[in-house]
């Protein structure tokens, strides 16, 4: 059996603090992939926009969203705390609601 696991926690630090089982860490850590947060690779965002626009246009039988350069720039400047899932959700939500995708509004505390 194979298990694919993902976390945003530093498991090495958790093992050192004894808040994560060392044996489990080594069982899970066969191949480790570290991906930078989406906010740290804004140059990838236009490609993700294109991918998700095509995917959701097909799923919801709608025309593919073709954002302007200004809109792409807004999407690239946003820090995407929810990473790629948030970007995908933002685009899919617009298809479901039949509206133009927009950068999420953040609430300042």
């Amino acid at each position: 059996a194979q298990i694919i696991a993902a976390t945003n926690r530093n498991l090495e630090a958790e093992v050192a603090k004894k808040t994560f089982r060392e044996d489990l860490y080594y069982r899970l850590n066969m191949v480790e992939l570290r991906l930078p947060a989406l906010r740290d690779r804004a140059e990838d965002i236009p490609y993700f926009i294109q991918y998700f626009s095509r995917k959701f246009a097909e799923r919801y039988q709608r025309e593919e969203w073709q954002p302007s350069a200004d809109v792409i720039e807004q999407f690239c400047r946003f820090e995407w705390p929810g990473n790629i899932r948030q970007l995908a959700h933002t685009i899919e939500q617009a298809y479901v609601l039949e509206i133009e995708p927009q950068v999420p509004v953040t609430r300042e505390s």
Side-chain angles (χ1 to χ4, degrees), residues 25-102:
Y25 171 74
Y26 287 110
R27 287 179 191 203
L28 290 174
N29 196 21
M30 173 65 76
V31 175
E32 183 176 345
L33 300 175
R34 291 184 186 242
L35 295 175
L38 187 57
R39 67 183 161 272
D40 296 332
R41 52 191 175 120
E43 68 277 2
D44 292 342
I45 291 174
Y47 299 107
F48 286 126
I49 289 172
Q50 182 181 31
Y51 170 78
F52 289 123
S53 295
R54 186 173 297 131
K55 175 181 175 177
F56 297 130
E58 184 177 315
R59 178 180 294 170
Y60 296 105
Q61 299 177 351
R62 305 241 193 310
E63 198 171 309
E64 188 176 326
W65 177 49
Q66 301 291 327
S68 69
D70 288 341
V71 171
I72 290 175
E73 185 179 329
Q74 289 173 11
F75 272 70
C76 289
R77 280 195 319 255
F78 188 70
E79 293 202 0
W80 299 103
N83 284 308
I84 195 166
R85 287 184 194 95
Q86 184 182 18
L87 174 61
H89 179 79
T90 297
I91 294 172
E92 183 174 19
Q93 182 181 48
Y95 274 93
V96 169
L97 298 174
E98 297 185 29
I99 61 172
E100 183 86 8
Q102 297 178 2

Side-chain angles (χ1 to χ4, degrees), residues 5-29 32 34:
T7 184
N8 62 353
R9 295 168 47 192
N10 180 338
L11 293 184
E12 290 174 346
E14 298 289 328
V15 168
K17 292 188 308 187
K18 303 218 183 282
T19 56
F20 192 84
R21 287 180 26 199
E22 184 176 17
D23 66 309
L24 182 56
Y25 171 74
Y26 287 110
R27 287 179 191 203
L28 290 174
N29 196 21
E32 183 176 345
R34 291 184 186 242

